[in-house]
Structure formats: structure tokens, C-alpha cells
Amino acid sequence: GQCEHDRYMEAPLSYSTIEDLQLLSWDNAPKYCVQLSFPGGTVLLQAANSYLRDQWFHSIQWKKKIYKYRKVLNNPSRWDVVLKEIRALVDMALTSPLQDDSIHQAPLHIISTLLAENTNLSAQDYENIIVAIAPLLENNHPPPDLCEFFCQHCRERPRSMVVIEVFTPVVQRILKHNMDFGKCPRLRLFTQEYILALNELNAGMEVVKKFIHSMHGPTGQCPHPRVLPNLVAVCLAAIYSCYEEFINSRDNSPSLKEIRNGCQQQSERKPPMPLRLLRPEPPTPPPTTTLSPPPALPLSPPPSIILVELERNNNTTNTLRKAPAEGDSEPNLIDCLLVSPALNALSIQLPAHANRVLGCFALILKMLSDYDDWRPALASLLQPIPFPKEELKYVIQRFAEDPRQEVHSCLLSVRSGKDGWFQLYSPGGVACDDDGELFASMVHILMGSCYKTKKFLLSLAENKLGPCMLLALRGNQTMVEILCLMLEYNIIENKDTQLQIISTLESTQVGLRMYEQLCDRQRELKELQRKGGPTRLTLPSKSTDADLARLLSSGSFGNLENLSLAFTNVTSACAEQLIKLPSLKQLNLWSTQFGDAGLRLLSEHLACLQVLNLCETPVTDAGLLSLSSMKSLCSLNMNSTKLTADTYEDLKAKLPNLKEVDVRYTEAW
């Protein structure tokens, strides 16, 4: 047996002194032992079981070899040997049974140190090394120094085969798995340089397009939720970099370097402009110097435009990253470009290289907007960034043509006091360069969507009446419709303005035709609303929207107070007819297909409605919430609808006269 004191080593033994290492396997050998040979003798390590013994054996062996390679590659004498050693090192990492991140990271660090210290290698040497380490990059992001080296390779030799063959899978992996470029900005830079290298190839943009398609995948739905936010972050950072020089040359904006180093003293320059401090990566702590602490730039949002947080869609949760409050962040691109109204973003002259970069990444944003499944997230990530580039206008046009409300609602401002694309691209807006064509198509989609039409028309009449009239004068059909609706809904109170709208309409053929139709409708409306006719009306079951319209087009219904459409086939479309009934107090829509869009319209026009039955209709919270403006309601049946408890509470609070409510078979029951 061993004595007690033999079990402890008196002095530590370094890995580099281990000459040999083996498992004891002869008969009757002590169990679970590893034998280490040193210049001064041997050491036996005994483990509790064979699993732990193997763990020790492979770990020590790994450490010993890593020391050897570090030494050999730290001071290489012959390059032909180096390449052989690198291949052996990579092979060792790939075949090691140990499962640990460092098994692949350690060799990558050794090689990136080697590359950093030997800058005079031939291009061929570089390529051979990249090819040799490629297998390690299949499951690992390259460390920062290696990224730097890869970036340089992309810049200097964009057409080398390495770019396509080795870098493509690496970049694909980064885009699919990276959670936050803020923690590893070099990965973002490498992705950016890789894409620019693809763009340098003969069919540059085609190759980039294929790459984007490979990232999205062949189906209608991209299976990787990180790909889009990562691509957008790369594009915005690249586009930002194009303007960096221009922004830094502006006399009153602190240069990015100064901001990064946080050594900006108040006395040295004019007071900094209020920058909204957003940046796609968290700040590095400013170097400790004896300077007075940097003044934190004021965080009050400037009167221009906001650039949204790049990592808005972190996975699927909408966690907004907070902007750092230190004076150590990049100023927001848009604030810098548009801080003075006189400086129109469209007139900036960029150097040729910056223009190429801008063109490439603006085109990528354009490609991203062509994928239906990406458009909603893209719209919210970009909301609202007016870049001075034709391709980006195309992106906004795509948002304006998308019938999904989650997409086109991003055209409006993010919050009050901040202009959205809708304001920026209206005639007279900062980004408008097309006399308002894009503006008109935005109005078109927003009107067609279930926005509160009256409210939307009111805001147009207050803020954008000039642009609307000018476009109508030039024969824009959407604007002609808008002006007719303004007259029909009595939005404009000023008589002179009404007359000007009428003469604007009469000055084009499309306007004249629509105005005449409006006058006919008004005459019919007067006829419909004339006092007289029944006070109660029940439509036969199975009646349709068209049947209701036909019935109301003959005779007077000025006295109609109670209308039942229960068990008919009417839909939201019949709301257009219902809002014409001036005396309507009770409306029964039980078991019809009347939905949210219809409710919104009723809530704007039928202020006197007292009794409403929506039992077994397809209405949801979105429509039911709009009922809160109908203050006369005293009886409301929402039995068997998709009403939720929250909306029910909200309605109870906002409808003071509500006495009878039926919420059976809903979540609020």
C-alpha cells in the first residue's frame, strides 16, 4: 500500500515537461491509472472510474500537444513545415474525443496569432492556411482577429476561390446563428466584406442575389428567424459607413472617433448637436485618461428622424435594446444627414467607393423586400429610415403595396411627434423627389385598409390638404377619391376650401366624373333620409348586402329606428348603407358575417345607436374596441364572439350608459 504522504505532489509539474503519457493496461496494474513520464521520473494519476481516467488522459494529451503547436507556430522557421503543422493541429482538434468549445477555439487562436505576427506572407500562403483551417469553421464562429484577417482577404483578393468555397458556409452560419452583432462587431464586418467581395465578381449582383436566396431558403417561409435581422443590421451598418466621412466633415458634429474615445470637451468645439445615441454594438469603455469626464450628449430626440434599433426583432420577442447613455456611441445616421432642413439628404456627393457600397447594400434591402414572409419584420426594422437612394424608395413602395396591415401600418409614424415615411415622402417632405407619387400610393393602401377613415381623412385635411389638391389637379385618381370623400363626410368646414376642392375636381376628367357621381349619391341620400317611411324593418333571412342596398335605394327611411338583419348573409360591406340612416337606434346583426371593418365604420358615423346585437358574428377585439366612441350605447350583445376580458373591461370603462351586456361564451364570461 502507498503511504499517505505519497499522494500529494510537492511541486507543480508543467504540461510542457511531460515527455510521454499512457494508460496503464498490463495485467494486475493499479486500476484506472494514467502514467506521466517526466525528465525526473514518472507520476501515476489514479481516477475513480474509467470514464474519468479517459477524460484525464485525453485532456492532458490535448494540453501537451497544444503547447507543442503553440511553440512551433509561435516562431516558425520554414513555411512548408508550418502548413504541415497547421494541418496536423486542425486534424487533432477534429479527431479529439473531448467535447468542449476550446478544442476548436484554441487552434483558431493559435493560427490567428500566427497570421497577426507574420504579415509578409504570400497570397498563396494565406490561401493555403485558410483552406487548412476551414473544417474548424464549420461549427465555430471565427474569433475577432481571424475575422480581421478574413476581411482583409475579402478586400484584397475578392475573386479568390477561398471567398466562395471557404467563407460562404462561415458567413451562412454567422447569419443563421448570431444573436447579437453588438457582442462581436467583427463578425458583422466580415459578413459585410464578404458580400462586397461577391459583388466584385463578374456577375456581382446576381451572385449576391443567389446568396440572399440561399439564406432565405427555397420555401415560402425562411426557417431561420435570425437571418433577416442579421442581414438588416449588416446593410444598415454598411450604408452608415458610406456617410461616415461626410458626417465627420460637418463642422458641428463630433467625429465618430472622438465620440468613441469619449474625449470630447465642451470648450473645444461648438456644443454638440442632439444626437440620438443608437448604435448596433454596445460601447467599449472609454480609455481612462485624466481628461474631465465627457459630457453625456443630450438624449432629447432631435426634430428630425429616428433610426430604429437594429436588433428590434431579437428572435421573436420585441425586446428593444436601450441606447447607451455614455458619450460613447455612433450618432444616428439620419439625424446627422438631416439635421438642418436646408441640407437635403438627396444632394450628398459620396466618393466612388462609398457609392458602390451604398448601391450594393441598398439593392440587398430591395431584394429582402421582395420576400413576402420577411416584409412585416423588415418594415418594422426599417421604420422609418429615409435613405437617399432609389432602391430604398422601391422598398417603401413594396410596403405601400402590401395589403397586410402589420406591413403598411409601418408607413405611419412610430409615435406622435416623429415623422413616418408617410410624412417624409409627402410633397414638401424631406425625402420627396417624385411630386408625391409614392405618397399617393401610401394614401391608397392606408385608405383601403381599415384605418378609421374619417379620422384619417381629418388628419389629411389638417396636414396634407395642399399636396392632396395638387395631386388631384394633376389627375391622380386616389387623391380625387380622397377629395370626394372629404366632401361626402363633411370633413371640410370652410366654405371657400370646399369650393376650391370642387373646382379642383372639375378641372380633370376623372375628377369631374367622380364629383358627378358624388352629387348623384348626395341626391339619393337626401331622398333616403327624407322624413317618412317605416320605423321598424326586418330583412328576410338569407338577404345579401346587395338586397339591403336595393331596398334602401327605393323610398324614404328618415324615420327608421330599428333594423334587424339577423340570420341574413350581410357582411361588413353593408356598413356603407347603414351609416346613411340618420335615426337608427337599434341594430340587430345576430349570426351574420358582419366583421371588424364594418364596426369601425359604424363607430365613426352612428353616434346615436343605443342597442347593438353582435351575437355569433366574426368580430374580434380589433373592431370591438372602436365601439368605445359610441357613447349612447346602452345594450350590447357580444355573446359567442372573440371578445377578450381586457377589451370587455376597456369597453365598460368607456361606455357610461351601458346597462345590458351579454358576454356569454366569450373569454370575458
Side-chain angles (χ1 to χ4, degrees):
Q2 280 176 313
C3 306
E4 274 302 305
H5 63 261
D6 282 355
R7 300 197 175 180
Y8 300 99
M9 293 185 189
E10 286 175 11
L13 296 164
S14 66
Y15 286 109
S16 50
T17 56
I18 301 173
E19 290 173 339
D20 188 31
L21 165 74
Q22 51 192 357
L23 297 171
L24 289 195
S25 53
W26 71 79
D27 297 345
N28 302 333
K31 268 187 147 178
Y32 315 135
C33 280
V34 178
Q35 177 178 309
L36 309 179
S37 310
F38 289 92
T42 57
V43 173
L44 279 189
L45 299 179
Q46 185 167 31
N49 53 45
S50 59
Y51 175 77
L52 190 59
R53 176 203 58 198
D54 291 350
Q55 188 86 26
W56 285 357
F57 175 74
H58 290 297
S59 300
I60 296 171
Q61 194 177 39
W62 163 255
K63 252 331 205 207
K64 176 175 175 296
K65 288 183 175 171
I66 273 290
Y67 272 102
K68 182 197 110 175
Y69 284 116
R70 198 166 274 144
K71 205 167 146 205
V72 171
L73 294 174
N74 202 359
N75 195 357
S77 46
R78 299 196 3 244
W79 274 99
D80 48 338
V81 181
V82 168
L83 201 57
K84 219 165 86 191
E85 294 290 350
I86 288 178
R87 287 192 185 119
L89 170 63
V90 170
D91 199 46
M92 176 183 87
L94 293 174
T95 53
S96 168
L98 296 172
Q99 304 230 324
D100 188 273
D101 283 350
S102 63
I103 300 298
H104 287 158
Q105 287 298 331
L108 289 173
H109 282 291
I110 290 178
I111 290 157
S112 75
T113 310
L114 171 83
L115 292 169
E117 288 169 3
N118 296 276
T119 45
N120 52 356
L121 295 182
S122 74
Q124 197 51 53
D125 285 331
Y126 276 147
E127 297 217 348
N128 292 341
I129 292 173
I130 294 173
V131 171
I133 59 173
L136 287 181
L137 296 169
E138 276 171 32
N139 297 307
N140 297 277
H141 287 336
D145 295 351
L146 210 50
C147 280
E148 197 87 350
F149 167 68
F150 287 174
C151 286
Q152 190 186 339
H153 191 84
C154 287
R155 281 193 293 267
E156 290 171 7
R157 309 205 54 211
R159 292 162 178 268
S160 81
M161 282 319 289
V162 168
V163 171
I164 300 288
E165 288 174 9
V166 179
F167 291 167
T168 303
V170 180
V171 172
Q172 283 174 327
R173 188 175 183 284
I174 292 170
L175 288 171
K176 284 176 189 169
H177 300 291
N178 166 60
M179 293 308 290
D180 178 6
F181 278 132
K183 292 196 180 71
C184 33
R186 305 258 178 92
L187 288 179
R188 193 194 67 211
L189 203 63
F190 169 44
T191 307
Q192 190 178 313
E193 293 292 353
Y194 165 80
I195 290 173
L196 286 172
L198 292 187
N199 194 31
E200 289 295 309
L201 300 171
N202 289 344
M205 250 6 242
E206 275 311 302
V207 186
V208 174
K209 197 171 184 170
K210 275 204 186 89
F211 174 72
I212 299 294
H213 187 66
S214 77
M215 290 313 310
H216 177 277
T219 59
Q221 209 61 33
C222 172
H224 301 281
R226 292 299 307 154
V227 168
L228 179 73
N230 282 338
L231 277 170
V232 171
V234 169
C235 290
L236 293 185
I239 290 172
Y240 184 94
S241 69
C242 298
Y243 291 103
E244 206 165 359
E245 219 170 287
F246 168 80
I247 291 162
N248 290 347
S249 67
R250 300 269 300 288
D251 58 1
N252 68 340
S253 74
S255 83
L256 295 185
K257 263 204 188 63
E258 281 177 297
I259 292 178
R260 275 204 199 103
N261 299 338
C263 56
Q264 192 203 334
Q265 285 180 294
Q266 211 72 50
S267 57
E268 288 173 15
R269 50 166 62 255
K270 302 172 195 175
M273 56 184 196
L275 297 175
R276 185 167 160 70
L277 299 183
L278 286 181
R279 123 191 256 202
E281 54 231 40
T284 46
T288 45
T289 52
T290 49
L291 288 172
S292 62
L297 300 182
L299 270 167
S300 57
S304 57
I305 296 127
I306 177 176
L307 172 63
V308 293
E309 285 82 344
L310 301 186
E311 292 284 330
R312 164 103 49 110
N313 284 29
N314 225 335
N315 269 355
T316 46
T317 57
N318 278 1
T319 46
L320 290 191
R321 303 249 315 285
K322 290 286 172 285
E326 303 92 328
D328 175 58
S329 181
E330 290 181 0
N332 155 3
L333 166 64
I334 305 305
D335 293 344
C336 297
L337 293 181
L338 304 180
V339 81
S340 65
L343 171 84
N344 189 324
L346 299 155
S347 61
I348 297 167
Q349 284 301 306
L350 293 176
H353 170 70
N355 241 332
R356 269 212 312 284
V357 174
L358 180 63
C360 173
F361 287 97
L363 256 168
I364 291 176
L365 287 174
K366 182 176 176 178
M367 290 170 197
L368 300 181
S369 73
D370 284 332
Y371 289 95
D372 286 348
D373 60 314
W374 275 350
R375 212 172 296 129
L378 182 66
S380 71
L381 282 167
L382 293 181
Q383 177 186 24
I385 301 175
F387 285 121
K389 196 79 187 141
E390 196 51 46
E391 281 80 9
L392 280 136
K393 212 165 127 192
Y394 169 92
V395 174
I396 297 164
Q397 183 74 49
R398 291 307 301 244
F399 297 154
E401 288 160 5
D402 195 304
R404 288 171 293 185
Q405 188 182 343
E406 52 178 333
V407 178
H408 60 241
S409 61
C410 290
L411 299 170
L412 297 166
S413 48
V414 194
R415 55 176 186 273
S416 59
K418 282 285 176 193
D419 286 346
W421 286 313
F422 182 67
Q423 286 82 11
L424 299 171
Y425 281 93
S426 68
V430 162
C432 179
D433 59 349
D434 59 0
D435 293 339
E437 279 169 52
L438 180 57
F439 173 69
S441 57
M442 291 191 208
V443 172
H444 181 73
I445 194 93
L446 292 169
M447 273 308 281
S449 156
C450 317
Y451 280 93
K452 284 201 156 176
T453 6
K454 211 167 181 176
K455 197 170 153 193
F456 186 58
L457 286 168
L458 266 166
S459 82
L460 275 181
E462 280 170 23
N463 308 312
K464 298 288 172 197
L465 190 57
C468 290
M469 291 218 263
L470 180 63
L471 288 162
L473 195 61
R474 293 175 180 173
N476 182 294
Q477 184 154 353
T478 303
M479 291 306 168
V480 166
E481 282 171 47
I482 293 283
L483 294 184
C484 285
L485 280 169
M486 285 178 178
L487 293 175
E488 191 165 355
Y489 289 160
N490 296 317
I491 301 281
I492 309 286
E493 287 171 5
N494 181 311
K495 277 278 175 279
D496 288 339
T497 313
Q498 284 178 5
L499 292 170
Q500 187 184 347
I501 288 179
I502 293 169
S503 39
T504 302
L505 289 170
E506 288 175 332
S507 63
T508 63
Q509 280 191 301
V510 54
L512 185 62
R513 193 177 68 244
M514 282 193 189
Y515 180 59
E516 282 167 355
Q517 288 166 352
L518 169 65
C519 295
D520 292 345
R521 279 204 303 280
Q522 299 285 44
R523 273 197 295 277
E524 285 162 16
L525 188 65
K526 279 209 177 65
E527 177 61 29
L528 168 83
Q529 293 182 341
R530 243 204 2 248
K531 285 295 171 202
T535 54
R536 303 175 67 90
L537 194 63
T538 301
L539 236 63
S541 63
K542 302 275 184 287
S543 301
T544 63
D545 295 330
D547 296 323
L548 175 66
R550 201 173 298 119
L551 178 70
L552 292 180
S553 67
S554 54
S556 304
F557 293 92
N559 292 350
L560 187 62
E561 292 181 4
N562 182 327
L563 174 62
S564 173
L565 302 173
F567 307 105
T568 62
N569 295 340
V570 298
T571 68
S572 288
C574 78
E576 298 280 352
Q577 306 299 325
L578 300 176
I579 61 175
K580 296 173 184 171
L581 300 167
S583 309
L584 195 63
K585 292 187 177 64
Q586 301 174 6
L587 176 60
N588 186 347
L589 293 163
W590 185 4
S591 194
T592 59
Q593 286 305 304
F594 194 88
D596 293 339
L599 276 189
R600 288 200 186 94
L601 203 52
L602 296 188
S603 71
E604 284 197 317
H605 297 269
L606 294 181
C608 305
L609 201 67
Q610 293 167 5
V611 179
L612 179 59
N613 185 343
L614 297 168
C615 179
E616 294 179 11
T617 56
V619 294
T620 70
D621 285 355
L624 291 166
L625 274 171
S626 63
L627 297 179
S628 60
S629 61
M630 303 176 83
K631 302 298 179 194
S632 309
L633 275 180
C634 49
S635 168
L636 180 57
N637 185 338
M638 299 176 282
N639 184 324
S640 310
T641 61
K642 293 197 176 76
L643 170 76
T644 64
D646 286 351
T647 297
Y648 179 44
E649 291 306 317
D650 195 71
L651 286 173
K652 276 196 301 192
K654 290 182 179 161
L655 295 173
N657 297 315
L658 209 53
K659 311 273 185 301
E660 294 171 22
V661 189
D662 185 344
V663 293
R664 286 172 300 168
Y665 309 107
T666 66
E667 188 199 285
W669 188 25

